[in-house]
Amino acid sequence: MFSLPPLLSPAHITGQPAPYAPACVVSTAAGALAALAAWYPGHWQALLLLLPAAWSRMRGRAAAFAVWMGYYLAGARDIPAVSMRFFSGYGELTRPEALVLGVALWIAQACVLATPWAMLKPKSNASAARHALCAAIATMLVTVPPLGIIGWLSPAYVASALFPGWKAPGLVLGITATACAASVSRARFARQFATLLLMLSVIARSVASVPVVPSRWTALDTRLGRFDQSSYASLYARTQQVRAIAQRAFSEGATVVVLPEEIVGLWRPAMGYWWRDDIQAFAAAKRTLIVGVDLTASGTPFRYTDSAVVVGADHGRLDSRQPVPAALWRPGAAVSAIRGSLTQPYVMVAGESVAFSICYEDLLWWPHWRILLQSPDVLVSLSNSWFDSDLALAHIQRQGIAAIARLSGVPLLRAVNR
């Protein structure tokens, strides 16, 4: 039998070892399995450490890219379905058009988030310290803006599993654990450091307690579906539904009631009139309602904030620091949500300091920087999931904000519309 001379072997032609394609397939599958194990349907975020460990063992940037590509594709697998439902639901695109857009966004987000891991992949013979440093830098790049604007599924979430209640130091130790996982098979000092981190994790988990939500605070899930705001008849019907839900909760003894994101839609003068008597009654009875609304910021081009508004016995608001890209946040478009300031203070409600997470923020770390430094008394999450409540994304979103609450040691109240 004839054989290829050395200079014409596949390794020389492609610049990769002969089993190049199979290695990439295996790497992609490994990343996908890690996503399923760490997130829905799995719930073991500590397994995120397997990703940097596998990444460091890959030979070549293509295989390193593949493992993270598989992870982000599997973890964000609902983007095509969400795009189809959302954009066709509002009549902006047909279902086929919205599906095509969703597939493009799904592939693009995986490529964007996997790229830092490929670019920073050291050569196989690089030192353990270099592998650790590159893993830490890549983790930061996919967690904070600009890439962090789509920074869902960040490996930094391992911090909440390992160091609950340790706030900012816990996040730093979690990123350190990611770096350690990338170098643990390469140097003795990395294994010793990993042992230390394991001991600290055992201590953190053993002393962690379950935060308690303040008495008579309640978050209400609703099943009102997509809000049709095309007529005053539909606006009034939704207002009546939401008013009845809030009044029923207060009549059952609640003093603070939380309703979902955008549950009353865009706040108009007519809605202020419809709600006026209720808000005055809430204030007189020392009751507080937290409700999700859209507030007009400018008329031309039309800009609005996706906000949580506090009315009744207390007053305040917080604007979403990152509305959903493409769906709500569309810089340059005729209609777009705008981002709220990252320095917005906590809102005082019934004597408690409250931090907010509005919908898409549940999936991100950076909007919540303050709660890792200055712990609030309560973390309130508002979401509107009429387009994804039956998908894995809804479970992953809940896991994400629960992880942030767990790391910060803060009780979580969450209201969702389905």
Side-chain angles (χ1 to χ4, degrees), residues 8-384:
L8 296 180
S9 66
H12 286 77
I13 295 172
T14 64
Q16 296 285 343
Y20 165 68
C24 286
V25 172
V26 171
S27 298
T28 303
L33 289 174
L36 297 177
W39 301 97
Y40 187 81
H43 294 271
W44 298 285
Q45 289 172 352
L47 294 181
L48 291 172
L49 291 176
L50 295 176
L51 287 163
W55 166 83
S56 70
R57 303 299 296 173
M58 296 298 158
R59 299 185 63 185
R61 289 179 176 176
F65 179 83
V67 70
W68 287 97
M69 187 79 172
Y71 171 71
Y72 287 116
L73 284 175
R77 59 192 179 276
D78 289 331
I79 289 179
V82 166
S83 175
M84 180 179 66
R85 295 178 182 184
F86 184 89
F87 291 107
S88 66
Y90 283 112
E92 296 182 278
L93 298 171
T94 65
R95 288 176 67 86
E97 290 171 341
L99 180 60
V100 170
L101 174 63
V103 170
L105 293 173
W106 177 51
I107 296 173
Q109 62 86 29
C111 291
V112 168
L113 294 173
T115 294
W117 293 96
M119 298 301 294
L120 289 169
K121 174 67 174 74
K123 293 181 179 179
S124 298
N125 60 355
S127 66
R130 183 170 180 80
H131 276 83
L133 178 62
C134 288
I137 293 174
T139 299
M140 293 299 296
L141 286 175
V142 298
T143 304
V144 301
L147 295 188
I149 289 174
I150 55 169
W152 44 67
L153 305 170
S154 168
Y157 275 105
V158 74
S160 64
L162 298 180
F163 307 105
W166 281 26
K167 305 181 177 68
L171 180 59
V172 172
L173 288 173
I175 294 174
T176 303
T178 299
C180 197
S183 58
V184 72
S185 65
R186 296 177 177 276
R188 182 179 178 182
F189 81 85
R191 290 188 286 273
Q192 293 172 339
F193 209 86
T195 301
L196 174 61
L197 289 174
L198 179 60
M199 294 171 61
L200 291 175
S201 176
V202 171
I203 294 172
R205 293 172 64 87
S206 64
V207 301
S209 59
V210 179
V212 179
V213 173
S215 176
R216 300 173 71 186
W217 287 46
T218 184
L220 302 179
D221 290 342
T222 59
R223 293 186 175 276
L224 302 182
R226 183 177 67 83
F227 188 7
D228 176 11
Q229 302 187 64
S230 61
S231 68
Y232 272 93
S234 61
L235 290 173
Y236 184 72
R238 171 61 69 90
T239 299
Q240 293 300 92
Q241 287 179 303
V242 176
R243 288 177 60 198
I245 291 169
Q247 290 167 353
R248 183 165 56 250
F250 284 127
S251 68
E252 293 173 353
T255 56
V256 177
V257 171
V258 182
L259 291 174
E261 176 212 19
E262 295 185 319
I263 194 65
V264 298
L266 181 67
W267 191 262
R268 295 168 168 85
M271 300 180 75
Y273 175 77
W274 295 332
W275 277 96
R276 184 183 59 189
D277 292 343
D278 283 345
I279 292 173
Q280 291 175 349
F282 297 156
K286 299 188 183 304
R287 295 168 175 170
T288 300
L289 177 67
I290 300 174
V291 59
V293 302
D294 292 335
L295 300 173
T296 301
S298 67
T300 307
F302 186 76
R303 296 291 182 264
Y304 65 94
T305 61
D306 183 5
S307 304
V309 172
V310 180
V311 296
D314 300 283
H315 299 277
R317 90 186 229 198
L318 184 133
D319 303 328
S320 173
R321 291 140 297 190
Q322 183 56 70
V324 187
L328 302 182
W329 185 59
R330 306 172 181 179
V335 177
S336 174
I338 59 175
R339 297 193 294 180
S341 170
L342 279 175
T343 61
Q344 294 173 90
Y346 296 144
V347 179
M348 296 302 298
V349 176
E352 309 281 358
S353 60
V354 179
F356 287 94
S357 180
I358 300 178
C359 193
Y360 180 67
E361 295 175 340
D362 290 351
L363 298 166
L364 308 175
W365 273 107
W366 56 271
H368 307 291
W369 66 271
R370 190 187 295 275
I371 69 173
L372 298 178
L373 300 175
Q374 306 166 353
S375 292
D377 297 310
V378 187
L379 173 57
V380 171
S381 168
L382 293 75
S383 184
N384 200 332

